Amino acid sequence: MTERALELAGVSKRFGSVEALVGVDLALDAGEFLVVLGPTGAGKTTLLRTIAGLEVPDAGNVRLFGRDAELIAPAQRDVALVFQNFSLYPSSTVRENLAFPLRAPSRRLSAAEIDERVQWAARLLHVERLLDRPAKKLSGGEMQRVAIGRAIVRKPKLFLMDEPLNNLDAKLREELRVELRELARELRTPVVWVTHDQAEALTMADRVALFVAGRVVQTGTPEAVYARPVSPLAARLLGTPPMNVIAVRRVDGAWTTDAGHALARAASVAPERATLGIRPEHVRLEGGAAEAVVLVVEDWGPERVLLARLGTLELHVLAPRDCALRAGDRFRPALDERRIVLWDPAPR
Amino acid sequence: MSFLVLERLDKTWPDGTRAVRSVDLAIEPGEFVVLLGPSGCGKTTTLRMIAGLEEPTSGRVLLGGQDVTRRSPAERDIGFVFQFYALYPHMTVAENIAFPLECARVPRAERAVAVARVADRLDLARLLGKKPRELSGGDQQRVGLARALVRKPSVWLMDEPLGALDGAERLSMCEFLREQQQEHRVPTVYVTHDQEEAMRLADRVVVMNEGDVLQTAPPAEVYSDPATLFVARFVGSPGMNLLDDTESGDFVPDSPRSATGRDESGKKSPDSVCGVRPEFVRFEPSSALRGRVVVDAFHGACRYVHVETPIGRVVVRRGAHERVEVGAEVGLAFDPRGVRWFDRASGRRLA
């Protein structure tokens, strides 16, 4: 068995009355890209700080590359932490900013070695032509590239990224998602990437950990977590538009809404009540029993997103680009039964 | 008659930077127009000139047929919606939301109806009796929006109002704004750097870069027939593939100018760029255009596969379950219906 890069077992951390981490179990294989996805305030930053050794867990154990992290001082952990706020020296050049982490006396690198590393990092992050520019003259995207360059240049054994794309324009985020994913693959360095942006989780992760209120609620490949979320809460964290979550009863062999609209066949062994989940792309525009009315049509480029009302229920449907439905039109949505997810009914 | 007209609107900063260059725009009654572009493109400056918060260097702003260029913001009956709000800490959520109506001397019963309605739609009903400090950041943000939107001015100017919200909340706010728009038809100018938001909300999108308006058109048109290379890249997530077929010469169809556009050796002219959206590219084993998969990104309802080829990187949209290995060699083919041509020098689309 290959050595795990990181292993958390039962890690808890409390600040006064706030439980920031509650019995967190998490493992990261060598070279793996793990995205921790959760809403603001879920404790994601505390998780990273605990791995980096900046917080000491109240309970549980952190292991880094097979060793008990408690025995390794933060400075010796060889992990690089990148924050969403670009932490650069504003009047120093990009070159000086990149070289700085290498100048620590403990590193004993020659000037030539430092220069070589700086060039290497600058090339990987496409900032070579900016090397002699002062950091304060950079755009936001350029600054964040350099900030990541400062982490890479040390060749750490583990990257901890705390919402590094947060302050950037949408287009730049999209580009950096792809670029940084490729970079991580090239470096073969494991990454824990923390975010509230579901697109980052879906597109970048080898594995996703859904993180809510200090707890890991589900882990798996993006495909698996997307297809089979463990709870309605998990379902809503991943996917846009979000999964439709509907309270249903079993009536005459059909899953039926509270307002009495039959949505899909129900197995005879199924329970009386359940919560049903269906992704918007698994709702067809015709063939269903109940009629819905379109409230809003949004143009998403390659497809359209409809928000429709079915009885008292609001339903998102992903429709092809040539869909002719407009606000006010009626249609009979049908659920793809193979894609339905069922959970225990919500408490009443 | 257009409701809001911008005529050759120009803004030059004291240091000589031209933030906005000769912008012409006419907004119809009830229209929702989104100014879209990257940081520094001039979209917010344009909005602030409409509001009267910034004085144009030259040009005019007409509102309801009247020249308001030199009028103060208070004389323009404009509702301005920002990204951040300060809520009144001593008031409840309900009082905060009702405040603009109270100022406008709306009768109490009418106020209550309006507050209940907006609170219900924004999922704030259960919070109406609370004070701001008892709310999470996201809830405070939604209360701020509710307060901004409860009034009905003659025009709404919105500057990235959803910037601080995360995914699901953003989506439901977009839908809320869209529904409001369908119901009340208050003309709106909305500023964002997020092209997805622009596509969802707009009747028309105005794409800006470096102070210039590059294209003004409905979202579907901006998406399928971008006016320039910049628009092609900026709109769509991921953007349009822009391919350079000058070296090898035969992977993409001939450009409209190719009859005269080849040199003696048969190479294609270097003066056009071929654009094609990822949904118009498919895997085709027999195709001469070969490439290596570098990224296979799952997007939920689909996948975007990035392929490195001799004519540049090509992104292909595939089914959610059609996984490919990074490193695999594949052939690619384009659907001619999705191919667009641009002039390399000017960046403009060719007819």
Side-chain angles (χ1 to χ4, degrees):
Chain A
M1 197 185 113
T2 57
E3 185 186 72
R4 287 252 157 97
L6 171 70
E7 205 158 4
L8 275 72
V11 171
S12 295
K13 178 75 187 175
R14 167 189 285 280
F15 299 102
S17 64
V18 179
E19 287 189 298
L21 303 176
V22 187
V24 172
D25 296 325
L26 210 54
L28 183 68
D29 285 333
E32 196 178 26
F33 200 113
L34 175 76
V35 175
V36 177
L37 175 70
T40 311
K44 304 188 297 288
T45 298
T46 305
L47 178 70
L48 285 192
R49 291 176 56 84
T50 305
I51 297 168
L54 303 173
E55 302 288 352
V56 179
D58 299 333
N61 182 261
V62 179
R63 294 181 78 77
L64 278 170
F65 301 98
R67 291 178 63 198
D68 187 342
E70 228 175 284
L71 306 174
I72 321 172
Q76 307 302 318
R77 291 192 182 194
D78 215 1
V79 301
L81 192 54
V82 179
F83 300 99
Q84 54 181 280
N85 304 317
F86 329 119
S87 45
L88 300 180
Y89 299 105
S91 45
S92 299
T93 62
V94 168
R95 188 188 306 279
E96 288 158 354
N97 268 287
L98 289 175
F100 186 79
L102 300 174
R103 295 204 198 279
S106 63
R107 294 203 174 262
R108 296 192 192 88
L109 289 172
S110 71
E113 283 170 309
I114 290 177
D115 194 51
E116 192 185 315
R117 288 262 197 115
V118 167
Q119 290 289 347
W120 168 78
R123 196 176 60 245
L124 283 177
L125 286 155
H126 309 296
V127 294
E128 285 163 291
R129 64 190 172 82
L130 305 174
L131 277 171
D132 294 312
R133 197 170 294 180
K136 64 184 171 207
K137 298 256 175 181
L138 303 179
S139 71
E142 291 164 348
M143 280 195 203
Q144 195 57 308
R145 278 172 209 266
V146 176
I148 292 166
R150 270 170 59 113
I152 284 173
V153 81
R154 286 168 37 206
K155 300 194 175 172
K157 286 161 77 180
L158 172 65
F159 286 114
L160 304 175
M161 308 286 224
D162 192 0
E163 311 221 15
L165 307 185
N166 236 16
N167 294 335
L168 304 177
D169 273 11
K171 197 68 194 175
L172 208 52
R173 295 173 76 134
E174 174 200 314
E175 287 168 10
L176 280 172
R177 282 203 306 257
V178 176
E179 235 177 77
L180 294 175
R181 185 62 191 95
E182 281 179 76
L183 181 65
R185 188 168 286 128
E186 209 168 306
L187 296 174
R188 297 169 189 280
T189 308
V191 180
V192 182
W193 176 288
V194 150
T195 185
H196 70 267
D197 181 346
Q198 59 94 33
E200 288 169 21
L202 283 179
T203 62
M204 298 182 85
D206 291 321
R207 221 149 38 89
V208 179
L210 301 182
F211 198 68
V212 180
R215 292 173 173 82
V216 174
V217 297
Q218 185 171 12
T219 62
T221 63
E223 287 89 344
V225 175
Y226 183 83
R228 299 267 149 204
V230 291
S231 67
L233 183 70
R236 297 194 76 83
L237 284 177
L238 214 50
T240 172
M243 196 174 219
N244 296 296
V245 174
I246 309 162
V248 288
R249 288 172 298 140
R250 188 159 59 83
V251 179
D252 300 333
W255 291 120
T256 304
T257 66
D258 286 346
H261 298 292
L263 295 177
R265 281 176 303 167
S268 54
V269 293
E272 283 294 306
R273 287 179 177 282
T275 303
L276 179 153
I278 186 85
R279 294 271 174 206
E281 63 268 33
H282 299 139
V283 182
R284 289 190 308 273
L285 294 173
E286 50 192 28
E291 193 177 67
V293 58
V294 178
L295 299 177
V296 179
V297 181
E298 291 185 350
D299 190 331
W300 285 32
E303 64 241 323
R304 287 175 198 281
V305 173
L306 314 183
L307 175 67
R309 177 164 285 144
L310 196 162
T312 54
L313 191 77
E314 284 193 355
L315 198 65
H316 279 112
V317 184
L318 201 61
R321 182 160 180 73
D322 55 13
C323 165
L325 290 172
R326 296 279 170 273
D329 289 352
R330 289 168 190 281
F331 69 109
R332 293 184 174 275
L335 315 191
D336 180 345
E337 290 176 2
R338 294 165 307 161
R339 308 287 182 193
I340 286 174
V341 182
L342 293 168
W343 304 285
D344 290 339
R348 297 192 165 240
Chain B
M1 188 182 64
S2 297
F3 177 77
L4 171 65
V5 179
L6 309 184
E7 253 179 34
R8 306 188 62 82
L9 207 58
D10 227 279
K11 181 71 188 181
T12 306
W13 299 120
D15 71 356
T17 318
R18 282 185 76 186
V20 174
R21 302 167 198 239
S22 195
V23 167
D24 287 311
L25 187 64
I27 292 166
E28 304 307 316
E31 200 179 16
F32 198 117
V33 171
V34 176
L35 308 183
L36 169 70
S39 304
C41 74
K43 56 191 190 296
T44 296
T45 306
T46 303
L47 193 76
R48 290 173 58 84
M49 288 193 282
I50 300 172
L53 299 171
E54 208 71 71
E55 197 171 321
T57 308
S58 62
R60 297 201 301 165
V61 179
L62 295 122
L63 201 54
Q66 302 233 352
D67 185 342
V68 298
T69 317
R70 308 289 155 197
R71 284 199 204 153
S72 76
E75 295 171 294
R76 300 187 186 197
D77 189 23
I78 273 167
F80 212 105
V81 187
F82 298 95
Q83 185 172 342
F84 299 105
Y85 306 90
L87 299 176
Y88 302 109
H90 60 286
M91 293 184 190
T92 64
V93 167
E95 288 162 351
N96 262 288
I97 297 175
F99 190 72
L101 299 177
E102 214 176 309
C103 295
R105 298 179 191 287
V106 173
R108 181 181 295 272
E110 225 172 285
R111 278 196 324 248
V113 171
V115 170
R117 197 177 165 278
V118 73
D120 178 50
R121 196 61 192 84
L122 292 183
D123 202 17
L124 295 169
R126 71 207 149 77
L127 305 175
L128 283 173
K130 298 207 170 183
K131 294 276 174 68
R133 62 170 151 29
E134 299 173 83
L135 307 182
S136 72
D139 286 341
Q140 288 189 21
Q141 180 71 13
R142 281 182 299 131
V143 174
L145 280 167
R147 190 180 66 189
L149 296 173
V150 75
R151 197 169 74 89
K152 304 282 171 282
S154 58
V155 57
W156 257 324
L157 304 180
M158 304 193 181
D159 191 3
E160 311 219 4
L162 311 185
L165 299 177
D166 53 25
E169 281 186 326
R170 233 177 145 104
L171 178 79
S172 74
M173 278 306 307
C174 272
E175 285 165 349
F176 171 72
L177 289 174
R178 199 83 190 122
E179 277 181 60
Q180 285 254 310
Q181 175 60 10
Q182 285 170 5
E183 200 168 321
H184 302 291
R185 307 305 295 178
V186 175
T188 303
V189 185
Y190 184 106
V191 158
T192 183
H193 62 79
D194 184 339
Q195 60 90 27
E196 288 182 29
E197 220 167 88
M199 297 287 284
R200 288 176 200 173
L201 289 169
D203 294 322
R204 276 192 304 157
V205 181
V206 179
V207 187
M208 296 184 71
N209 190 37
E210 294 180 342
D212 290 316
V213 169
L214 303 178
Q215 185 168 14
T216 303
E221 191 178 327
V222 169
Y223 183 82
S224 56
D225 295 309
T228 72
L229 285 170
F230 179 87
V231 178
R233 248 191 313 263
F234 196 80
V235 173
S237 176
M240 197 176 243
N241 293 300
L242 298 170
L243 304 168
D244 181 345
D245 194 15
T246 50
E247 276 307 305
S248 35
D250 281 311
F251 294 129
V252 301
D254 282 350
S255 85
R257 13 164 109 136
S258 66
T260 54
R262 288 189 185 241
D263 65 15
E264 314 82 71
S265 63
K267 282 184 179 170
K268 281 191 177 165
S269 86
D271 60 0
S272 359
V273 177
C274 169
V276 60
R277 294 244 172 240
E279 59 270 30
F280 290 104
V281 189
R282 64 178 192 279
F283 282 12
E284 178 57 65
S286 64
S287 169
L289 177 58
R290 315 297 299 177
R292 197 175 56 83
V293 173
V294 286
V295 172
D296 175 18
F298 178 62
H299 277 250
C302 68
R303 316 183 76 89
Y304 285 103
V305 180
H306 296 237
V307 182
E308 209 63 75
T309 80
I311 57 170
R313 178 173 290 207
V314 182
V315 182
V316 187
R317 183 183 158 103
R318 307 243 304 154
H321 304 287
E322 299 175 301
R323 209 184 169 137
V324 281
E325 286 302 314
V326 168
E329 205 205 287
V330 296
L332 299 179
F334 306 128
D335 180 341
R337 287 173 303 169
V339 172
R340 302 287 180 269
W341 288 95
F342 300 88
D343 178 75
R344 181 185 305 277
S346 69
R348 301 211 158 273
R349 194 155 63 80
L350 301 169

